[in-house]
Amino acid sequence: MVHEDDDSKAVDWNMEFVRFVSAANEGKGLSKKDTISLIKFINHPDFSKEKFDIASFADVANIRDRLLANSGTEWTRHEISVGENDMSFKIELRDPKSWLIQEFEKGGLVLHAQKQYVDGVRIYSDPSNSDAWIQSQELPERVQVNGTIASIQIYSDKTVINRKGVSAYPMKAVLLNLPIEERRRRISIIGYIPIMKDVRELSSAALRQVRLELHSKCWQAWLDPLKKLSFDGFELEDKIIFPVVHSVVADDPECHDFTCIYNWACEQCHVKERNDIEVRASLRTQAEQIQRYEEIQCAENGGEKIALAKQYATHPVVCSLWGFRDSTLETSDPYTIVGYDILHVDDLGLFLYLVDCIPDYFKKYGDRRGLVKELNGRLKAMPISENFPNPCAGFYVGGHTGVQAKEHRTIIQTMPHCIDGLCTHNNNELMELFALYNVVYQKKRGKAFSSSDLDDFDDDLMMLHRRMLEVIGEFIPSGLSTNKFHKHQHIVTHIRRIGCLEHLSSDFFETDHKIVKRDYLATSKKSGTFLNEMIKRRRLSEVLDTPGVVGESRTYATAFMRAFSTSQHELSISQHKFWLRPSEESWDHGRSLPSPQVLQFSRALLEAQPELDKLLLILQRFFDVPLPDFCSISKHMVLAVQTESGDFPLQTCRATAQFHGRPRFDDVVINANDGSEWIGQLRCLLAIEVGGEKTELALVKWYDDVHGDELKEFGGYNGIIEKYGGRAIEFTRGGDDFLYDIVHILSIKRRCYVVPAFNIKEKEVFYCSPFKWG
């Protein structure tokens, strides 16, 4: 049931009742304080008591259990023993086959993979057009039965779930058959790995081994049924399903846990010098690693076993990923499917290597304290934009503890501007390095690649490696001999195997951790039982979210939703009436006066934005016909930006003098009549009815280009940002008649990011940044 505006309040009382009973007392069940609310529900005329067979309070309390009993979500209990002393753990895991059946019944899946070509050129963009899925699909025994691949992605990472340091270790899975937008909503928690406390009797090395064995056996318990099905398949309606794990997403320590490889070695290849990307080592394979595991197990004594394990960089633990039918394929080998996670490798890894080297670099080539203070001041002064949080409150370089990955991504996009001209050693080599890192990073977030694109990408990665070693290598204790630095070598292989790196990012898995934390709040928080209570809460939530179980959920048609469905720009639904004729003379012409609310809003807006006093004159110049006394003002709009691939990613633009306590006037690129691109600052978004037709418009404040020849006379200008595609601009001169103008919102092409030119102090100049994406 979809409502057209945010004022709709129709309620499905049956659904609300079930949700109330399930979530009462923070999810722990009904208590005495809920009695009054319960009576109100039962006595409501739109509530169906017969549907729930309610005869007593006990019947209400049992609704949760009845829902779970009829849910079809099967969970099984496993007992796992680890270590020489056979320490026992009991865990509950979601049945993998029933999970697959439910995911296929929900629909929305891509069932067949095929290569994609554009103008005869092979394109890698999605798991369904890349090598891993295609090779799994083309195995002879699957072709013979027209089998369907269930391409599975798994994830595991420990997360802190309260402020006292209590942790949980969720196991998650999702189908790569889903489009990536839907995949984010269909992540399933399939169980929890027990958190093992320190054991006094065990050394740190022995404890590490036991924890690794626990991790491996928990995943084996869930994956083993899928391994058998990868050979035999199972029938579902008119399809034969073959499950395959094509991707493991995890941070570097968890990648080594999955593969049982020592953390100082690469889990994918036998490289020795990890700071040299041009050295290509042989890849690890399942057959080789099984042979090495058996050799370690056959060692005559503990000392020899430890020596062999170090020699092979392999823990003497069975890898949970061994044993799939597809493990013999190069693209689905257990050591190949452990992917490149851009969130941990770049946002929380390589980029921070660069940032942490800045103070030492300044110390060697300038004034460390003064330059760091100036840099932090510039970072703080950077404009904000939608989904572009600025984490710098005056102290980022030299202290970024607690900053989130999305905030580091903001700094990746702003740092080249902020460091421009601060330290000019060797022709601004540090600024050039940050600019090069940004360009390569943007390519990592590309949506589609041809074979030639991948070859060029590989060359760019090698260039970045050489420049990082040359510029900052001496300031890093490890000399960049780290796994995160080395993993660049495998990026192109991952793209050919599974598609763009977006499919391998843990970003939306990490975001999903908030569900884990919310489930914890609904438990008794007792150390021995809270995991089982979290599982019960998760099962119940899945039941309530299943279509048709308790009724349809209410959704609202927001501007974002309308832009998504129509692929057109949309103004916000929330609009305010604005009086276009604020002068008192207008009262003498028989015009209707505004209401006190409209008058108050109009005066407040004019006080905050004096340029709107001339809005009527600008509109008359645009329409050249008589105009009404009022228009509607919106504070934001949603752009449906058309890309070369034909997609329409959405961007939110704002034009308001008050957004979270500060002005927010976004900058946009506008298509001119002659086909050129102009840059303007949104000052007002409005809708006005003229001649019986509603028109949606934007008041913009124009920028003009400033050419490099004009800037060379100013100290600090170096032209590096222009080299990367930036445009130097300034506000249009010549008075308000030239500075402000009205454009139709459909002429807006995309949002852009305009920042101060910090290196030019004698004149107010800006850059349209080439380093901002999205």
Side-chain angles (χ1 to χ4, degrees):
M1 183 164 52
V2 178
H3 300 290
E4 293 301 322
D5 56 65
D6 294 344
D7 296 328
S8 301
K9 299 295 182 183
V11 175
D12 183 329
W13 285 94
N14 293 334
M15 180 184 74
E16 292 300 317
F17 173 74
V18 174
R19 292 193 182 279
F20 164 73
V21 172
S22 303
N25 195 18
E26 296 185 338
K28 300 170 189 175
L30 291 168
S31 64
K32 292 182 179 179
K33 67 179 183 180
D34 301 308
T35 304
I36 295 176
S37 297
L38 180 61
I39 293 172
K40 288 181 179 179
F41 262 110
I42 293 177
N43 291 328
H44 196 280
D46 293 333
F47 174 66
S48 307
K49 291 188 284 290
E50 300 79 9
K51 177 178 179 179
F52 296 97
D53 192 22
I54 296 174
S56 65
F57 189 88
D59 292 335
V60 176
N62 290 332
I63 284 179
R64 286 158 50 104
D65 295 331
R66 285 155 55 191
L67 277 173
L68 287 175
N70 299 323
S71 67
T73 57
E74 299 179 18
W75 289 66
T76 55
R77 177 162 292 190
H78 302 260
E79 187 165 345
I80 293 175
S81 298
V82 296
E84 295 180 357
N85 298 328
D86 288 333
M87 288 181 282
S88 181
F89 297 88
K90 293 180 180 179
I91 63 170
E92 284 191 66
L93 298 174
R94 189 169 183 177
D95 179 69
K97 184 177 179 180
S98 68
W99 170 72
L100 281 175
I101 291 172
Q102 286 189 0
E103 288 299 306
F104 272 82
E105 288 177 345
K106 289 178 183 177
L109 305 178
V110 177
L111 301 178
H112 184 76
Q114 59 181 1
K115 296 178 180 178
Q116 180 183 355
Y117 292 89
V118 175
D119 297 330
V121 178
R122 173 82 185 276
I123 299 296
Y124 302 87
S125 61
D126 190 80
S128 62
N129 60 37
S130 301
D131 291 344
W133 188 341
I134 290 174
Q135 288 190 17
S136 293
Q137 183 177 271
E138 291 178 349
L139 287 172
E141 62 269 31
R142 293 173 182 169
V143 173
Q144 188 175 358
V145 297
N146 194 25
T148 298
I149 301 298
S151 181
I152 301 172
Q153 184 175 64
I154 60 176
Y155 168 87
S156 186
D157 188 21
K158 186 189 297 184
T159 180
V160 178
I161 54 179
N162 74 356
R163 295 182 180 180
K164 297 181 179 179
V166 175
S167 298
Y169 210 150
M171 304 163 63
K172 301 180 183 181
V174 71
L175 285 179
L176 293 172
N177 303 61
L178 289 162
I180 192 164
E181 299 82 7
E182 183 66 18
R183 203 181 305 156
R184 297 174 186 272
R185 294 188 287 268
R186 297 261 290 264
I187 297 171
S188 298
I189 296 175
I190 56 174
Y192 287 91
I193 298 173
I195 302 295
M196 185 177 171
K197 298 181 179 179
D198 293 343
V199 180
R200 293 182 180 178
E201 293 77 14
L202 297 178
S203 64
S204 59
L207 186 61
R208 159 71 177 146
Q209 196 83 351
V210 171
R211 285 175 172 160
L212 179 63
E213 186 179 355
L214 177 62
H215 179 280
S216 183
K217 286 190 173 181
C218 286
W219 275 106
Q220 284 180 58
W222 193 76
L223 292 173
D224 282 351
L226 295 176
K227 295 172 186 176
K228 184 176 186 304
L229 294 174
S230 73
F231 286 88
D232 305 331
F234 67 93
E235 292 187 21
L236 180 62
E237 297 177 351
D238 58 342
K239 297 180 285 289
I240 298 181
I241 311 297
F242 292 91
V244 185
V245 174
H246 277 146
S247 173
V248 176
V249 177
D251 190 6
D252 196 59
E254 282 74 24
C255 287
H256 289 87
D257 286 348
F258 272 109
T259 55
C260 302
I261 299 297
Y262 276 33
N263 59 10
W264 47 260
C266 174
E267 65 272 14
Q268 294 178 251
C269 70
H270 299 97
V271 69
K272 294 183 179 178
E273 298 296 330
R274 291 175 294 175
N275 61 355
D276 190 349
I277 192 176
E278 299 184 35
V279 176
R280 305 283 174 165
S282 59
L283 297 175
R284 300 182 188 272
T285 65
Q286 173 181 281
E288 173 195 65
Q289 290 300 124
I290 290 176
Q291 182 180 352
R292 289 182 168 186
Y293 168 78
E294 292 174 347
E295 185 178 343
I296 294 171
Q297 291 298 320
C298 293
E300 293 183 358
N301 55 60
E304 184 180 346
K305 180 181 288 188
I306 293 173
L308 282 173
K310 288 184 177 180
Q311 178 184 339
Y312 296 144
T314 301
H315 291 285
V317 175
V318 174
C319 174
S320 60
L321 303 173
W322 290 346
F324 279 91
R325 166 64 183 91
D326 309 67
S327 297
T328 57
L329 302 174
E330 183 179 352
T331 56
S332 301
D333 188 279
Y335 301 91
T336 303
I337 65 176
V338 179
Y340 182 94
D341 177 15
I342 193 170
L343 182 144
H344 287 104
V345 176
D346 281 284
D347 303 342
L348 301 173
L350 292 179
F351 180 68
L352 298 187
Y353 295 170
L354 284 173
V355 171
D356 291 340
C357 288
I358 291 176
D360 291 334
Y361 186 93
F362 284 168
K363 181 179 180 180
K364 183 173 182 179
Y365 299 113
D367 173 18
R368 170 175 174 161
R369 179 176 296 180
L371 291 176
V372 168
K373 182 178 180 180
E374 172 69 15
L375 177 55
N376 281 325
R378 290 183 176 187
L379 287 168
K380 183 180 180 180
M382 293 301 285
I384 62 171
S385 184
E386 197 70 19
N387 298 321
F388 198 62
N390 188 347
C392 185
F395 194 74
Y396 175 82
V397 176
H400 48 69
T401 304
V403 177
Q404 297 181 354
K406 63 181 180 181
E407 297 170 323
H408 288 304
R409 282 195 287 272
T410 298
I411 304 298
I412 292 174
Q413 297 168 76
T414 58
M415 185 63 83
H417 293 285
C418 295
I419 210 165
D420 186 18
L422 269 185
C423 185
T424 58
H425 172 75
N426 199 11
N427 297 319
N428 285 283
E429 64 173 3
L430 187 61
M431 184 269 179
E432 287 262 26
L433 178 60
F434 275 99
L436 177 61
Y437 184 89
N438 178 283
V439 170
V440 173
Y441 186 91
Q442 288 193 52
K443 289 190 175 183
K444 291 178 184 178
R445 290 195 169 269
K447 302 293 185 181
F449 299 84
S450 65
S451 295
S452 60
D453 290 337
L454 292 176
D455 292 338
D456 294 341
F457 191 14
D458 212 22
D459 293 340
D460 290 338
L461 290 168
M462 290 189 179
M463 182 190 302
L464 177 62
H465 264 240
R466 286 193 291 267
R467 293 301 295 152
M468 288 182 71
L469 286 169
E470 292 167 2
V471 178
I472 65 167
E474 64 179 293
F475 304 110
I476 297 180
S478 65
L480 287 173
S481 182
T482 66
N483 282 330
K484 292 182 178 180
F485 193 64
H486 163 74
K487 283 187 175 184
H488 273 171
Q489 187 179 106
H490 301 294
I491 285 180
V492 171
T493 301
H494 287 308
I495 293 174
R496 293 184 188 276
R497 194 183 65 80
I498 211 73
C500 66
L501 296 179
E502 183 180 22
H503 300 289
L504 300 175
S505 175
S506 63
D507 213 342
F508 55 85
F509 283 106
E510 296 271 344
T511 303
D512 197 58
H513 279 338
K514 62 186 179 184
I515 295 176
V516 176
K517 297 172 183 178
R518 192 164 61 236
D519 288 347
Y520 173 75
L521 293 176
T523 69
S524 64
K525 303 178 182 62
K526 295 180 179 178
S527 59
T529 62
F530 77 83
L531 278 181
N532 288 335
E533 294 172 31
M534 288 172 68
I535 290 173
K536 186 173 182 179
R537 167 67 182 248
R538 181 81 338 248
R539 291 177 62 193
L540 190 60
S541 298
E542 289 168 359
V543 172
L544 296 176
D545 290 338
T546 302
V549 174
V550 294
E552 294 185 359
S553 299
R554 301 188 312 278
T555 55
Y556 306 107
T558 64
F560 197 91
M561 294 167 63
R562 294 201 314 274
F564 180 80
S565 61
T566 63
S567 298
Q568 292 184 350
H569 302 346
E570 295 283 351
L571 287 184
S572 165
I573 293 174
S574 177
Q575 298 179 351
H576 298 273
K577 199 171 183 179
F578 178 74
W579 189 28
L580 287 169
R581 306 176 187 273
S583 62
E584 294 187 7
E585 287 80 2
S586 63
W587 298 358
D588 301 330
H589 294 82
R591 300 182 183 276
S592 58
L593 291 176
S595 66
Q597 293 84 356
V598 172
L599 185 60
Q600 181 181 3
F601 170 77
S602 301
R603 287 177 174 172
L605 191 57
L606 282 170
E607 184 178 351
Q609 294 180 248
E611 70 270 18
L612 296 185
D613 189 39
K614 300 179 181 179
L615 179 59
L616 179 60
L617 294 176
I618 300 173
L619 286 170
Q620 287 173 337
R621 190 171 62 202
F622 181 83
F623 285 103
D624 197 25
V625 296
L627 296 177
D629 294 338
F630 301 94
C631 69
S632 298
I633 301 290
S634 293
K635 292 185 178 182
H636 76 274
M637 67 177 296
V638 179
L639 303 179
V641 181
Q642 185 171 7
T643 62
E644 294 179 358
S645 62
D647 296 330
F648 287 89
L650 304 183
Q651 297 177 344
T652 300
C653 292
R654 299 186 185 275
T656 174
Q658 189 65 241
F659 183 71
H660 293 296
R662 60 190 296 183
R664 173 73 177 278
F665 299 102
D666 287 339
D667 300 288
V668 292
V669 175
I670 298 169
N671 285 322
N673 292 333
D674 60 0
S676 59
E677 293 184 349
W678 294 11
I679 300 175
Q681 185 182 83
L682 293 177
R683 300 299 298 182
C684 181
L685 298 167
L686 63 132
I688 187 169
E689 189 169 321
V690 179
E693 183 177 345
K694 184 178 180 181
T695 307
E696 296 179 333
L697 304 167
L699 176 68
V700 298
K701 185 177 181 180
W702 290 120
Y703 293 98
D704 281 338
D705 286 321
V706 183
H707 299 290
D709 293 339
E710 301 176 49
L711 298 174
K712 287 180 180 178
E713 59 184 272
F714 301 110
Y717 176 74
N718 52 45
I720 294 176
I721 292 176
E722 286 91 334
K723 185 177 78 172
Y724 285 91
R727 289 170 63 178
I729 55 179
E730 64 179 350
F731 283 120
T732 299
R733 305 176 192 174
D736 289 352
D737 289 344
F738 297 93
L739 185 58
Y740 295 99
D741 203 356
I742 285 287
V743 299
H744 200 286
I745 67 167
L746 295 181
S747 66
I748 299 175
K749 186 173 183 179
R750 65 181 181 276
R751 189 176 60 204
C752 64
Y753 189 55
V754 173
V755 302
F758 293 111
N759 58 327
I760 301 173
K761 301 185 184 302
E762 296 88 347
K763 184 177 182 179
E764 188 180 32
V765 179
F766 306 90
Y767 283 117
C768 182
S769 176
F771 305 116
K772 171 77 168 65
W773 63 84

